[in-house]
Amino acid sequence: MSSAPPPAHPRPGGGRTGRPRDPAADRAILHATRTALVELGWGKLTMSDVAARAGVAKTTLYRRWAGKSELVVDAVAALFDEHLELPDRGSLQADIEGVVLRFAALLERPEAKTALMAVVAESTRDDALRDRIRSAIVDRQKSLVLLGRERAQARGELPREDDPEVAARTADLIFDVIAGAVVHRTLVSAESVDTEWARGFAGMLVGGLASVRSFP
Amino acid sequence: MSSAPPPAHPRPGGGRTGRPRDPAADRAILHATRTALVELGWGKLTMSDVAARAGVAKTTLYRRWAGKSELVVDAVAALFDEHLELPDRGSLQADIEGVVLRFAALLERPEAKTALMAVVAESTRDDALRDRIRSAIVDRQKSLVLLGRERAQARGELPREDDPEVAARTADLIFDVIAGAVVHRTLVSAESVDTEWARGFAGMLVGGLASVRSFP
DNA sequence: CTCTTACGCTACGAGCCGTAGCGTAACTGG
DNA sequence: CCAGTTACGCTACGGCTCGTAGCGTAAGAG
């Protein structure tokens, strides 16, 4: 929950003795990581380079993060913390359009573009990394879906669900559809998500939700 | 179009003189690449290792492919050629369910799982690689969407489009929604695409298409 | 038989990885 | 003020991969 990046190797003893870690170093390292991602991309980013950019010894990097993947996850997670929210635009359709455009704007950033898919790819063989991505990035996105549904229910645009399990499954489905479509459009099809696309997508999704409601 | 992997450095002169390349080596290399992907994953796969597995000198690898990314794209593209098709199940909804399940089965394979996202990530900074992915993988998937629409139009489930530009935009949208949702569900949410999910997704998509049709 | 290209092999400089060892700095509790 | 504990910077290291060069040989075309 704290937006401060959690150290990979948390403080051993519960006691808080000894020299404390320099918080400025964390900030410098994460900033240097994003800069390096922009300039070099995931593939050519190296721990040595990040350390040099941050004005920090390489050993300090390894004391806080287990490796490149963990470091990059924390670096891009900070972007999501800053730029991802759900503005209330008055209708479900407009809310979806809004969040789609914001998410797309995030993915257009070269840091996020090159890093997100790479760490996800890495996470297919690393459960700890998958958990880190989930808690640092994915869960925060998913909460926007839940918030959007709640607003739509308050407006009467969507029915209140009775079965919590069905509700959860539906929310997961919507989340995968929204996030998946935006990511695929941006990174695989490599075309921009403009207002026109967002409107068409949101219209289709709202229509689909309405039809599912009428055919249970 | 030819399912044979195109060499990265095509034959220089139009003339076909000199010793011809060994086609068996291509097959051995691509097979070794898939095996290495299964055992090591993208991150730990090395050109040296692939060469050793294929019983081929490392230099031969570099004579045919510019690097790891290009090699892996060709290796997984072969999987798509073999296992991706659109069975005619009699209705638009059933067709979508079918292609979703097939695509998901492909993504469950460890070779594809670890490789696809990685090469897409790499392609964000490499236009040539992006084109290679597009022609070897993405365009073939997209053609299934066009085929599915044609069948649905023949059945009368979807209207024939007048404006070809609108038709193309809609097809692109559908493609990003389908492929994106399946990829996101499988790789990011890391949950399996079973028949139940496929039914729910296809139902929502068909409903959305219907609603778009009625509100132009 | 010559020309051309592919192949295997060896060797190489370069770069990064991740860790160990050391001396020093900062903060805590007695 | 002083020991105990932890963080930091620095240096150095073995191990690995990269991508290329150079050589001798193999397999086709004319």
Side-chain angles (χ1 to χ4, degrees), chain A residues 17-19 21-22 57 59-60 63-64:
Chain A
T17 171
R19 174 177 176 175
R21 285 187 175 167
D22 184 2
T59 44
T60 297
R63 288 190 187 104
R64 308 193 183 196

Side-chain angles (χ1 to χ4, degrees), chain B residues 77-95:
Chain B
L79 285 182
F80 281 76
D81 274 353
E82 286 178 45
H83 296 97
L84 209 56
E85 54 185 13
L86 182 65
D88 193 333
R89 295 189 167 198
S91 78
L92 177 57
Q93 159 114 19
D95 280 4

Side-chain angles (χ1 to χ4, degrees), chain B residues 8-214:
Chain B
H9 309 295
R11 286 263 177 58
R16 31 191 69 259
T17 171
R19 175 177 176 175
R21 284 189 174 165
D22 184 1
D26 271 335
R27 276 173 271 138
I29 292 169
L30 293 178
H31 181 261
T33 304
R34 287 187 288 269
T35 306
L37 279 174
V38 173
E39 292 181 16
L40 307 174
W42 162 268
K44 295 182 178 173
L45 179 145
T46 71
M47 298 291 271
S48 312
D49 189 87
V50 171
R53 287 169 189 264
V56 156
K58 194 172 55 163
T59 43
T60 297
L61 265 182
Y62 282 104
R63 287 190 187 104
R64 306 192 185 198
W65 285 276
K68 185 169 154 176
S69 304
E70 288 79 1
L71 172 61
V72 168
V73 169
D74 286 353
V76 301
L79 285 182
F80 281 76
D81 274 353
E82 286 178 45
H83 296 97
L84 209 56
E85 54 185 13
L86 182 65
D88 193 333
R89 295 189 167 198
S91 78
L92 177 57
Q93 159 114 19
D95 280 4
I96 294 176
E97 282 181 37
V99 77
V100 160
L101 288 172
R102 286 195 181 231
F103 185 36
L106 241 178
L107 286 183
E108 296 285 358
R109 285 172 165 253
E111 319 94 281
K113 200 177 229 169
T114 188
L116 258 189
M117 305 294 278
V119 294
V120 169
E122 219 71 25
S123 78
T124 58
R125 311 204 110 234
D126 183 339
D127 292 338
L129 182 61
R130 194 205 311 288
D131 289 344
R132 197 187 193 94
I133 295 174
R134 193 192 300 277
S135 60
I137 298 178
V138 179
D139 282 350
R140 290 171 191 171
Q141 296 176 303
K142 195 180 284 187
S143 72
L144 297 188
V145 172
L146 301 178
L147 175 59
R149 174 167 68 183
E150 210 154 319
R151 282 187 192 159
Q153 287 172 337
R155 294 190 200 103
E157 293 176 291
L158 287 178
R160 303 246 169 222
E161 306 268 0
D162 315 315
D163 187 344
E165 192 178 335
V166 173
R169 260 207 297 272
T170 309
D172 285 349
L173 173 61
I174 311 248
F175 172 56
D176 284 326
V177 169
I178 295 178
V182 174
V183 168
H184 200 274
R185 166 89 177 174
T186 305
L187 300 185
V188 179
S189 297
E191 286 174 64
S192 79
V193 172
D194 53 15
T195 55
E196 187 182 6
W197 189 89
R199 181 158 28 233
F201 170 74
M204 192 171 76
L205 182 55
V206 171
L209 290 175
S211 82
V212 168
R213 178 179 50 171
S214 36

Side-chain angles (χ1 to χ4, degrees), chain A residues 83-84 89 94-108 178 182 192-199:
Chain A
H83 296 97
L84 208 56
R89 295 188 168 200
D95 280 3
I96 295 177
E97 283 180 38
V99 77
V100 160
L101 288 172
R102 287 195 180 231
F103 185 35
L106 241 178
L107 287 182
E108 296 285 358
I178 295 179
V182 174
S192 78
V193 171
D194 52 15
T195 55
E196 188 182 5
W197 188 89
R199 183 156 30 230

